[in-house]
Amino acid sequence: MFNLLTSSNVFFFALILWLLGAFGSLVLRRNDQVANWWGNFFAIFGAIAALTASLPVLISGPVFSFSIASSLPLVSLSFNVDKLSAFFIFVISLIAFFTSVYALSYIKQYYRHYNIGALGFFYNIFLVGMVMVVSASNVLFFLIVWEIMSLSSYFLVIFENKEKDNVKAGSLYFIMTHLGTAFIALAFLLLYRATGFLDFGAIKENIGVATPLVKNIIFILAFIGFGTKAGIIPFHIWLPSAHPAAPSYVSALMSGVMIKTGIYMFIRIFMDVMPDAPLWWGVVILIFGATSSLLGVLYALTEHDIKKLLAYHSIENIGIILMGLGGSLVFWSLNMMPLAILGLVAALFHTLNHAIFKSLLFMGAGSVISATHTRNMEEYGGLIKYMPQTAFFFLIGSMAISALPPFNGFFSEWLTFQSLFAGVGALDVSVRWVFVLAAGSLAFTGGLAAMCFVKAFGAVFLARPRNEEVCHATESGITPRISMAALAALTLIIGFSAGPTANILSGVVNDLCIFHSSQPAFYSTALTVGLRNNFASVSMPLILISILVALAFTFFIVSFITRNKKIKIGATWDCGTALDSRMEITSTGFARAVISIFRGVLMPTKQVSVEYRDEDMRYFQKTETVELGVHDIYQSHFYQPIYLFIIKVSEQVKRIQSGNVNMYILYILIILMALLLIVNI
Amino acid sequence: MSLILWTMQLVIVPALSPLSIGIVRKIKAKFQNRIGASIFQPYRDLWKILHKDEVISEDASWIFKFAPYLIFSVTVILGASIPIFTAVFSENLLSDLLVMIYLIAFGTFFLALAGMDVGSAFGGFGSSREMTVAALTEGGLMFSLLALAFSGHSTNLFVIAGTVSSLPLLSLSPIFLAFGAFIIALLAETARFPFDNPATHLELTMIHEAMILEYSGKRLALIEWAAANKFLIFLALGANLFFPWGISLSTNLIDILFALAVFLIKILILCLFVAVLESSIAKFRFFRLPDLLFTSFILSMIAISLII
């Protein structure tokens, strides 16, 4: 009996459960309630199975792989789950578990409006796709499952298709993700051409024959291709529009884990399949990471759509992950293995952390949106009184993403900082400056992220309601609250057990061939994590405990001293005018100072239109409208020129289509002669 | 002995912080040709407002009520984990540079939330300004201390104090650059001129005072005390990290008494410096502040490039 419970069987079982969930909910689509329960319960069971399959591999590391021969040439359904894959399967199924629990009551709002069966189908297929992406070991098979993941997520993005904006966002996502896939396919074709194999393992063994030039081209292609999925600036333009369009728990999955598949492939290709990375690969990744994180948080500050704000924060956090990864590649190319492990552990740790707190925040946002029916933060306010529990969980998520100790976000940023500091201390002058600037960008990112979440939490939950809808808001259902509570607890638990978690992650990194015989540059015990050269150390449990103890002492002493004092409830001081919601600061107003300061980068726009009472005698205004926005420089400076160029080339190419049959025969003749000539040579 | 030292370490910042505020106020009064209140007035103020009844806005949520306790606790923890009179606590796991900076951010985060909670126009703008300044200060603050960390080969604040005090004088010039950067960060973080005016309630200019406008009674006392703590913490960091001479490297009683005396003198000098600065320059316009903060960041970058 127990022989059957090997990781690989359980893994297969998880895939089958998800597929059952997918097709079952499609069959049961006539009844919304049943379709919802069927789809999500199978998603939950599948996630539990995938968790149990990945945990043993993650901790003790029996790699499992199997392949199913198929009748198609070159394609074999081959999986290979090593520790790295197991880690990503773990993260995906962990988040999938909580989003599926959340979905059980969240989906109720779609009953009778949308097709719940289709939602369950694409959702489960999406999960299957993601898990297979991080475990596929054949190039063509990988492209197929990558496409399954992309397409199913596209259908999830346009699920609420009665709103035109969502369909438009979906189209942008569709185009961008396929552009990315085109680059990936090119990179893989080059890999195949250089080595003659389609299997990642075989490619790895034969990569030695590839010239550096080919490898560099593959790097660029793969960087653009997977970078598009990960949402690196400037390939990010689909992300802020696609993530908000999807149902919130799907946004949580997309932001929390789907974009991480890009990170997984970065690690798989640049550090496993194509070893011997030159120095500049790491430097490029580091620079893109630093820019993405700083620009991501700045754009997040300009947003007043709560889900777009969170989507921009995903770009920021992908930037932070890339800083760890890029630093690791640089160290590795300089043969400083201990530091390379430090950087990669930082990247993986932040991957895990970001998955947890970002999905928590998206779920919180989803609950708020379904209670108030708007995504516009200017229309919220005071929700903490109507949805106290959601507010509390959202606050925990905000603190974790702002890297405040003792939550988990702080620890992974601490590790990333240490890897950057080590680079500043240990490297040559030219590379050192990249590390200094990256550390500086991370420092400013941390501060601005805290500001952005003060803005988000304050505008959504604090002060007085700015809209009637808010006053009718009620706390979300029981399953959303359970999964938010669990994720909120996880941010604290992972923060508390940072040492053991870092140990497991350094096991994952050690499992990669190149790091087999290296020690990490840090030590970790249950109490502390520190660098072996005594440069720095941190104790996450101690931070939590000392904050709790200090709080308790302060509270009891102050309460004792002031035990006879009364507390009176009064109105907020308003300078004697009538107090209304327009006196509160808006999210736009909150961030306006920062936008003005960074106007060189953000290019804010302001349009004022005034209507006068008398057009000839322009003294008395009737109305004045001010529209604030941020100029999309990527659209106008990057994508628009490319688009215009392609149109122009197509116009030229169109000329050969004369419509004259004789001309076409001439073309055929020319091509035939050319081919004959080539064959003869 | 070490227990006594620990208690001293824990108590000294909250105990002396109102005094440092009192001293600055006294010196400023002298500059304005006033006699000024006694330097112990801040203690009496704290005691007085601690014993008053409280008025809380009906719009306030638990964040507003909880924030003062948290902000005060964080400053007490910070006060206990920075070098005050001795560098022997290098085993202290909380005195990491990044932990310190992010704990400061923790306090600021809740202060800004509390400012927005009551929904007054002042609180919101105070929070917005505070977070803008805090976000832009973080780079300069971290990098100025990082310059020291690279010369001390550790980010532990006690180790930095210990090693910098034994460096040869010649190697100190970049540290002075970093000190310049740190002073700018200090003024920004502790809401002093030219960033903020601690003595005003004019809505156009105030930052810190705007956020805490709705507080009264014991919670106001805690917030005021926490602000004083933060001021003393920054002074102590400036005094003991950049000029650590006189800090005790052992647990010898005479050494420690001497170190305490030196610490008080150094704090007095820094108080004098802040008071002179506040009496001699005007507050900057808000949109001029980023220039100053970026100057702080660039100064510390130069310091780092000279050190490594």
Side-chain angles (χ1 to χ4, degrees):
Chain A
M1 173 65 197
F2 284 104
N3 290 341
L4 286 173
L5 284 176
T6 57
S7 284
S8 70
N9 286 355
V10 179
F11 177 71
F12 244 123
F13 188 53
L15 294 183
I16 289 167
L17 280 172
W18 278 328
L19 287 175
L20 270 177
F23 291 102
S25 53
L26 208 54
V27 171
L28 297 166
R29 69 184 181 282
R30 297 252 170 258
N31 186 330
D32 288 341
Q33 175 89 29
V34 176
N36 172 17
W37 282 50
W38 182 277
N40 284 311
F41 269 111
F42 273 94
I44 291 170
F45 294 140
I48 294 172
L51 277 175
T52 37
S54 60
L55 258 183
V57 183
L58 194 57
I59 289 165
S60 54
V63 179
F64 67 84
S65 59
F66 47 85
S67 85
I68 305 158
S70 71
S71 52
L72 294 167
L74 296 174
V75 184
S76 66
L77 303 179
S78 49
F79 297 87
N80 182 32
V81 178
D82 58 0
K83 275 193 173 182
L84 184 66
S85 299
F87 169 70
F88 278 88
I89 293 174
F90 177 78
V91 175
I92 290 168
S93 42
L94 182 74
I95 302 305
F97 176 78
F98 290 116
T99 51
S100 311
V101 171
Y102 182 91
L104 275 173
S105 28
Y106 184 81
I107 288 180
K108 282 182 188 152
Q109 59 181 306
Y110 297 126
Y111 284 2
R112 287 189 303 283
H113 297 293
Y114 291 103
N115 187 344
I116 308 297
L119 181 62
F121 175 75
F122 287 118
Y123 179 69
N124 278 292
I125 291 288
F126 181 44
L127 294 179
V128 172
M130 279 197 293
V131 165
M132 291 210 288
V133 158
V134 297
S135 54
S137 70
N138 177 284
V139 167
L140 288 177
F141 179 53
F142 172 84
L143 284 175
I144 292 169
V145 291
W146 182 263
E147 197 61 12
I148 289 175
M149 175 181 87
S150 301
L151 282 179
S152 55
S153 57
Y154 162 72
F155 284 110
L156 290 169
V157 166
I158 60 161
F159 175 67
E160 289 178 54
N161 53 17
K162 286 176 190 160
E163 299 194 16
K164 288 279 169 288
D165 280 351
N166 291 350
V167 180
K168 212 175 139 196
S171 308
L172 181 63
Y173 173 48
F174 189 80
I175 293 167
M176 284 304 290
T177 195
H178 282 90
L179 270 179
T181 311
F183 279 98
I184 296 166
L186 266 178
F188 282 162
L189 281 178
L190 274 178
L191 268 181
Y192 175 59
R193 210 184 110 89
T195 59
F197 289 95
L198 280 172
D199 198 71
F200 284 138
I203 292 173
K204 186 163 83 180
E205 276 158 30
N206 295 287
I207 194 72
V209 295
T211 59
L213 177 69
V214 171
K215 283 190 194 168
N216 287 340
I217 294 173
I218 293 173
F219 168 74
I220 294 170
L221 292 173
F223 183 74
I224 296 175
F226 293 116
T228 309
K229 185 58 84 184
I232 301 169
I233 289 176
F235 316 120
H236 70 288
I237 54 160
W238 62 272
L239 202 152
S241 48
H243 285 203
S248 290
Y249 69 101
V250 177
S251 318
L253 264 184
M254 288 176 70
S255 235
V257 289
M258 185 191 76
I259 57 174
K260 309 295 170 39
T261 56
I263 299 291
Y264 164 77
M265 284 310 287
F266 277 170
I267 300 174
R268 177 63 76 205
I269 295 202
F270 304 146
M271 307 194 84
D272 190 30
V273 175
M274 288 205 304
D276 302 322
L279 182 64
W280 69 271
W281 291 11
V283 173
V284 164
I285 292 185
L286 197 57
I287 291 171
F288 271 91
T291 1
S292 286
S293 71
L294 198 55
L295 287 178
V297 73
L298 281 175
Y299 284 116
L301 271 166
T302 68
E303 276 303 332
H304 56 85
D305 174 330
I306 184 166
K307 284 176 82 177
K308 275 195 179 176
L309 180 143
L310 293 176
Y312 272 119
H313 271 286
S314 298
I315 297 174
E316 173 222 328
N317 280 286
I318 284 288
I320 296 174
I321 296 171
L322 286 186
M323 281 195 240
L325 182 63
S328 174
L329 268 171
V330 168
F331 291 128
W332 172 40
S333 65
L334 296 171
N335 214 13
M336 298 161 150
M337 289 306 181
L339 289 176
I341 296 179
L342 172 70
L344 197 52
V345 168
L348 290 180
F349 212 125
H350 203 71
T351 304
L352 172 68
N353 288 346
H354 177 245
I356 292 171
F357 52 63
K358 184 49 69 64
S359 46
L360 169 61
L361 288 166
F362 261 115
M363 287 179 191
S367 295
V368 168
I369 292 164
S370 52
T372 58
H373 310 292
T374 174
R375 297 202 314 237
N376 188 353
M377 283 161 61
E378 315 289 22
E379 295 182 27
Y380 299 143
L383 271 167
I384 194 168
K385 295 186 193 72
Y386 304 95
M387 311 175 78
Q389 296 177 30
T390 308
F392 180 70
F393 303 137
F394 196 90
L395 180 66
I396 302 264
S398 305
M399 289 196 279
I401 199 172
S402 309
L404 298 180
F407 296 96
N408 59 355
F410 170 73
F411 183 74
S412 48
E413 277 199 26
W414 186 88
L415 273 185
T416 313
F417 265 122
Q418 294 311 330
S419 108
L420 296 175
F421 291 168
V424 177
L427 296 174
D428 294 343
V429 178
S430 50
V431 190
R432 178 192 286 164
W433 278 101
V434 180
F435 277 77
V436 171
L437 289 176
S441 134
L442 188 53
F444 281 113
T445 302
L448 290 168
M451 173 171 188
C452 194
F453 276 93
V454 167
K455 163 186 138 166
F457 188 81
V460 177
F461 292 104
L462 299 180
R464 288 177 303 276
R466 299 191 186 88
N467 185 341
E468 264 304 294
E469 289 269 11
V470 173
C471 302
H472 306 304
T474 48
E475 191 58 88
S476 47
I478 183 80
T479 65
R481 274 180 288 156
I482 289 175
S483 64
M484 283 191 283
L487 285 170
L490 266 184
T491 61
L492 208 55
I493 292 169
I494 290 189
F496 190 82
S497 59
T501 315
N503 257 338
I504 294 175
L505 291 183
S506 80
V508 172
V509 174
N510 266 128
D511 192 49
L512 290 175
C513 281
I514 48 169
F515 296 123
H516 265 330
S517 54
S518 316
Q519 284 285 315
F522 63 94
Y523 63 88
S524 54
T525 61
L527 189 63
T528 53
V529 176
L531 297 192
R532 285 192 200 279
N533 60 2
N534 287 327
F535 185 72
S537 63
V538 65
S539 166
M540 296 295 287
L542 197 64
I543 296 174
L544 177 65
I545 292 165
S546 48
I547 288 177
L548 291 179
V549 170
L551 256 179
F553 263 94
T554 317
F555 185 77
F556 284 118
I557 293 173
V558 172
S559 306
F560 180 74
I561 295 175
T562 63
R563 62 195 176 283
N564 296 324
K565 301 298 162 231
K566 287 192 283 292
I567 293 181
K568 221 172 79 184
I569 303 296
T572 301
W573 187 62
D574 52 3
C575 305
T577 53
L579 196 66
D580 72 13
S581 58
R582 293 187 62 191
M583 286 182 178
E584 302 159 20
I585 193 159
T586 59
S587 74
T588 311
F590 192 87
R592 197 63 196 165
V594 165
I595 294 174
S596 304
I597 289 164
F598 288 97
R599 62 185 170 278
V601 188
L602 292 174
M603 305 205 181
T605 54
K606 183 177 178 182
Q607 273 189 329
V608 184
S609 45
V610 183
E611 198 185 326
Y612 294 98
R613 289 191 186 280
D614 185 345
E615 274 303 318
D616 300 325
M617 194 182 73
R618 306 182 152 217
Y619 283 119
F620 302 107
Q621 293 180 359
K622 203 172 183 182
T623 55
E624 178 170 350
T625 327
V626 182
E627 251 182 76
L628 301 173
V630 169
H631 189 62
D632 191 346
I633 50 171
Y634 306 97
Q635 201 77 43
S636 59
H637 288 75
F638 189 68
Y639 289 98
Q640 196 69 20
I642 294 176
Y643 169 74
L644 288 179
F645 175 75
I646 291 173
I647 292 290
K648 214 170 165 184
V649 172
S650 318
E651 288 288 340
Q652 299 294 326
V653 173
K654 213 167 75 179
R655 288 185 185 185
I656 61 170
Q657 298 275 11
S658 62
N660 189 341
V661 180
N662 300 343
M663 277 307 269
Y664 290 121
I665 294 172
L666 181 66
Y667 293 154
I668 293 172
L669 185 71
I670 291 169
I671 295 290
L672 202 65
M673 281 164 65
L675 282 176
L676 283 171
L677 273 175
I678 291 170
V679 170
N680 281 343
I681 292 165
Chain B
M1 184 66 193
S2 71
L3 194 69
I4 299 171
L5 283 182
W6 265 113
T7 326
M8 279 172 71
Q9 174 81 28
L10 189 67
V11 171
I12 215 161
V13 165
L16 290 185
S17 63
L19 186 64
S20 65
I21 298 284
I23 292 172
V24 172
R25 282 190 193 154
K26 187 79 178 176
I27 302 170
K28 277 177 77 178
K30 292 282 174 208
F31 268 99
Q32 295 159 358
N33 267 338
R34 293 188 287 121
I35 298 168
S38 145
I39 56 171
F40 298 107
Q41 187 60 36
Y43 292 100
R44 293 180 203 134
D45 287 348
L46 280 181
W47 194 246
K48 186 181 72 187
I49 42 180
L50 207 50
H51 286 82
K52 293 228 176 218
D53 287 346
E54 233 183 319
V55 184
I56 290 183
S57 162
E58 60 203 356
D59 298 317
S61 68
W62 64 268
I63 300 226
F64 180 84
K65 294 167 193 156
F66 168 76
Y69 295 103
L70 186 90
I71 296 164
F72 181 77
S73 310
V74 164
T75 59
V76 170
I77 295 170
L78 281 170
S81 47
I82 59 166
I84 302 280
F85 54 89
T86 171
V88 295
F89 293 125
S90 58
E91 295 299 307
N92 187 334
L93 291 166
L94 289 182
S95 44
D96 183 74
L97 177 86
L98 292 172
V99 174
M100 187 200 77
I101 289 171
Y102 277 94
L103 275 178
I104 293 172
F106 200 11
T108 314
F109 186 86
F110 267 89
L111 189 60
L113 283 184
M116 292 178 86
D117 197 8
V118 288
S120 80
F122 302 106
F125 273 99
S127 302
S128 165
R129 291 170 187 167
E130 168 86 2
M131 289 313 290
T132 308
V133 171
L136 298 180
T137 315
E138 197 152 308
L141 177 62
M142 185 183 296
F143 271 50
S144 61
L145 296 176
L146 196 62
L148 290 174
F150 281 123
S151 42
H153 304 293
S154 172
T155 57
N156 187 302
L157 301 173
F158 287 97
V159 178
I160 291 176
T163 37
V164 172
S165 67
S166 56
L167 283 178
L169 267 179
L170 248 176
S171 63
L172 288 176
S173 52
I175 291 183
F176 287 124
L177 271 181
F179 183 64
F182 178 78
I183 284 288
I184 296 175
L186 179 152
L187 296 171
E189 280 282 348
T190 55
R192 294 271 149 189
F193 271 67
F195 291 89
D196 193 3
N197 187 345
T200 187
H201 282 109
L202 181 67
E203 60 266 39
L204 289 177
T205 57
M206 59 183 168
I207 300 179
H208 181 81
E209 293 296 321
M211 285 186 291
I212 64 171
L213 213 52
E214 281 295 318
Y215 277 114
S216 57
K218 59 175 184 252
R219 292 193 167 85
L220 180 63
L222 279 176
I223 293 249
E224 294 280 6
W225 200 350
N229 283 347
K230 197 169 165 189
F231 182 57
L232 185 61
I233 287 165
F234 270 86
L235 291 186
L237 283 175
N240 282 341
L241 294 183
F242 294 89
F243 308 99
W245 300 282
I247 202 162
S248 152
L249 298 173
S250 66
T251 55
N252 189 327
L253 184 66
I254 296 160
D255 275 4
I256 284 173
L257 288 178
F258 175 71
L260 263 179
V262 173
F263 172 72
L264 292 179
I265 292 167
K266 282 193 281 195
I267 293 297
L268 204 62
I269 294 171
L270 279 175
C271 283
L272 184 70
F273 172 78
V274 170
V276 170
L277 199 72
E278 293 213 328
S279 308
S280 54
I281 61 171
K283 196 186 154 305
F284 275 16
R285 206 161 60 87
F286 186 73
F287 284 103
R288 290 278 310 282
L289 299 180
D291 301 345
L292 204 56
L293 292 169
F294 287 129
T295 310
S296 150
F297 181 63
I298 286 165
L299 273 182
S300 32
M301 289 249 283
I302 296 170
I304 288 181
S305 69
L306 288 175
I307 286 169
I308 50 175

